Amino acid sequence: MITLYDMSLSGNCHKVRLLLSLLALDYQTKPVDLRGGEQRGPGHLQRNPFGQVPVLEDDGLIVRDSQAILVYLAKRYGGENWWPDDAYQLAQIAAWLSTAANEIFHGPAKLRVHHKFGSLIDTAAAGQTADKVLGIIDRHLQSQAWLVGNSVSIADVAVYPYLALAPEGDLDIGEYANIIAWFQRIRALPGYVAMPGMWQD
Ligand SMILES: N[C@@H](CCC(=O)N[C@@H](CS)C(=O)NCC(=O)O)C(=O)O
């Protein structure tokens, strides 16, 4: 049985819940009490020395970091559709995974933790990063339906949650018509699951 060490309000955890559901995999969740500091307790630090969720456990293997978990699930359970063989396609997927961990984390995700949970951040810097990454993604999606290739990939799954949660970070995404059309394509996928606070039409 696959186990996801999870936090319901985490967009990083949602990436994993979304892919597990799109792949129709059975799994159990074990909530980690982030407010209570459980992530810094010895049990969880053994699973992830960085003291963060998500962490996935499968067949005795432990995988930390949402991007890495997407790679693991896509390669192990997704087949060619989810983990292409082509070097160039894989490189493009890796580039978007990196964008999810960098610009999307430092922009839309940070603004959300600020507005929703009160964490102190440099709001001007996060706002600039968010505007830049939203503009780049919107222009990218002008000529293609999915971030990489002709079908959904883990690039879309990695990038989606914190963009869909952008309204919770006080970001107006109404002007990004191509992103909104892409949200609608993602939401129409069989097995799609949402989380509270996500953009809705
Ligand atoms: N790069 C990591 C970031 C994970 C992350 O930031 N997790 C947050 C929840 S969204 C967390 O566990 N925070 C608890 C803490 O840092 O104490 C990933 O993509 O999994």
Side-chain angles (χ1 to χ4, degrees), residues 67-81:
Q67 279 65 238
I69 296 169
L70 298 185
V71 167
Y72 173 82
L73 292 173
K75 169 75 177 154
R76 174 139 191 203
Y77 297 107
E80 172 71 20
N81 268 3

Side-chain angles (χ1 to χ4, degrees), residues 2-148:
I2 296 174
T3 301
L4 172 63
Y5 293 89
D6 188 34
M7 205 281 250
S8 60
L9 297 178
S10 156
N12 284 318
C13 292
H14 186 71
K15 295 174 196 175
V16 180
R17 296 192 296 264
L18 178 56
L19 184 61
L20 285 163
S21 183
L22 294 173
L23 293 175
L25 292 169
D26 273 340
Y27 70 101
Q28 61 177 353
T29 53
K30 292 214 174 142
V32 177
D33 176 9
L34 298 188
R35 282 200 187 147
E38 191 185 346
Q39 73 276 27
R40 292 185 291 274
H44 193 74
L45 284 179
Q46 214 169 17
R47 287 185 285 271
N48 181 359
F50 289 92
Q52 292 177 326
V53 289
V55 173
L56 190 96
E57 199 170 330
D58 183 25
D59 264 351
L61 300 171
I62 292 184
V63 187
R64 67 161 174 89
D65 188 278
S66 57
Q67 279 65 238
I69 296 169
L70 298 185
V71 167
Y72 173 82
L73 292 173
K75 169 75 177 154
R76 174 139 191 203
Y77 297 107
E80 172 71 20
N81 268 3
W82 285 96
W83 192 251
D85 213 26
D86 180 73
Y88 185 55
Q89 271 210 311
L90 277 180
Q92 290 174 81
I93 290 173
W96 285 114
L97 298 184
S98 206
T99 303
N102 287 291
E103 289 82 358
I104 292 175
F105 172 73
H106 290 292
K110 272 197 175 167
L111 285 170
R112 174 174 176 259
V113 289
H114 171 70
H115 286 282
K116 193 172 169 69
F117 304 111
S119 76
L120 293 175
I121 61 159
D122 179 341
T123 49
Q128 272 179 9
T129 305
D131 289 346
K132 183 173 174 184
V133 73
L134 285 165
I136 287 171
I137 293 172
D138 196 63
R139 285 191 293 282
H140 183 74
L141 290 170
Q142 201 162 12
S143 54
Q144 55 190 90
W146 304 103
L147 289 177
V148 178

